Amino acid sequence: EEQRRSDDDSSDNHDKGARRQESSTTTTTCEGIYPTLEVKHIRNELEQIRIHRSAENAAGCSCRKLHVVLPSDLTGNSKKSHHHRRLTDRRVKEELRKRHIAAPKGAKREELELLLHDAVEKQGCCYGNDCPCARNGIECQADTCSCWQMSHVTNSHKKGGNDDGNVVSMKEAKVNCGNRNGIYIVDFDEIEKSRSRYVDCCRPEGSCNVDVSDD
């Protein structure tokens, strides 16, 4: 019985020692360099990044131009189709304030809608801080963002519009985007032109008359 008590005491001491060692490892990790709490925060942040990356439209923005229904759209056969898309009076005033446009005193809802419509038509899809790219101070990327496509511009939804949202020039893409930081577009035509200059120069029958002073 004394031997059993001695074994029990030895087992208890071993468990206490293991708990003390485990408790000491919760305060520091990586050989005592970084606190465990800080490591947990970093792991949580990394997991949040993984979640955001796996979300829909995580790569690049997918901004669309605000659709403002005009009073003329609410007449005739198109009245029913446009009425459910009409912005509320409060939303119209809010969008005007976001664009730093003062609403005229006593103006009717139709007048405010027309004022907002004219302002939106002069802006791109990525106007203001609603665009995640513009909000974070970076330019849009044409290969990941879809804001520059014609399908994201209000007029393209009309019948008879451009069905291929990718057939746009660089100038049109920049206008459609409207990011104040710009948009990065790879111009393959310009790359091909620049490449052909050097390819022709390197041919045996060609003469190297390429001016590279501006390159």
Side-chain angles (χ1 to χ4, degrees):
E1 183 177 355
E2 291 180 358
Q3 181 67 26
R4 187 181 63 183
R5 290 179 180 176
S6 176
D7 293 341
D8 292 341
D9 293 340
S10 177
S11 178
D12 292 340
N13 292 333
H14 177 74
D15 293 340
K16 290 179 181 179
R19 285 195 294 269
R20 283 196 298 268
Q21 183 178 4
E22 182 180 357
S23 176
S24 63
T25 57
T26 57
T27 57
T28 58
T29 186
C30 296
E31 300 181 356
I33 299 176
Y34 304 106
T36 303
L37 184 61
E38 183 178 348
V39 173
K40 287 184 178 180
H41 285 318
I42 294 175
R43 288 177 177 173
N44 290 335
E45 291 177 357
L46 291 175
E47 184 62 24
Q48 290 297 323
I49 292 175
R50 295 187 188 100
I51 293 173
H52 287 303
R53 284 179 175 175
S54 61
E56 186 179 0
N57 296 327
C61 72
S62 57
C63 301
R64 290 182 177 272
K65 183 174 287 191
L66 179 67
H67 180 69
V68 183
V69 178
L70 293 175
S72 58
D73 297 330
L74 301 175
T75 59
N77 298 329
S78 61
K79 180 177 181 180
K80 293 182 178 180
S81 61
H82 288 282
H83 185 74
H84 71 283
R85 300 183 63 185
R86 190 179 187 186
L87 301 177
T88 62
D89 184 60
R90 180 178 180 180
R91 175 72 184 282
V92 173
K93 293 180 180 179
E94 179 183 348
E95 293 294 337
L96 287 173
R97 282 194 295 268
K98 287 170 61 176
R99 290 162 174 80
H100 308 287
I101 300 176
K105 187 176 181 180
K108 297 181 179 179
R109 178 180 179 181
E110 291 77 7
E111 297 174 343
L112 297 178
E113 289 173 338
L114 184 60
L115 187 63
L116 177 61
H117 176 270
D118 294 341
V120 169
E121 287 302 308
K122 298 177 182 178
Q123 301 164 349
C125 297
C126 297
Y127 171 82
N129 290 325
D130 291 336
C131 171
C133 298
R135 183 169 61 250
N136 288 284
I138 61 176
E139 58 186 5
C140 290
Q141 302 287 324
D143 56 341
T144 56
C145 299
S146 57
C147 55
W148 57 272
Q149 299 179 7
M150 292 301 296
S151 59
H152 287 234
V153 181
T154 303
N155 293 335
S156 65
H157 294 287
K158 296 181 179 180
K159 293 183 178 180
N162 187 5
D163 294 330
D164 192 347
N166 295 323
V167 183
V168 294
S169 63
M170 289 187 60
K171 184 177 180 180
E172 290 175 327
K174 292 179 180 179
V175 172
N176 292 344
C177 170
N179 187 338
R180 59 177 176 267
N181 303 302
I183 179 172
Y184 180 79
I185 306 175
V186 179
D187 193 340
F188 292 100
D189 293 335
E190 289 296 327
I191 293 176
E192 184 62 27
K193 289 179 182 179
S194 179
R195 181 182 298 167
S196 62
R197 294 167 56 199
Y198 297 97
V199 171
D200 293 339
C201 174
C202 295
R203 290 175 181 173
E205 66 276 7
S207 58
C208 190
N209 295 323
V210 179
D211 183 11
V212 296
S213 58
D214 296 333
D215 296 337

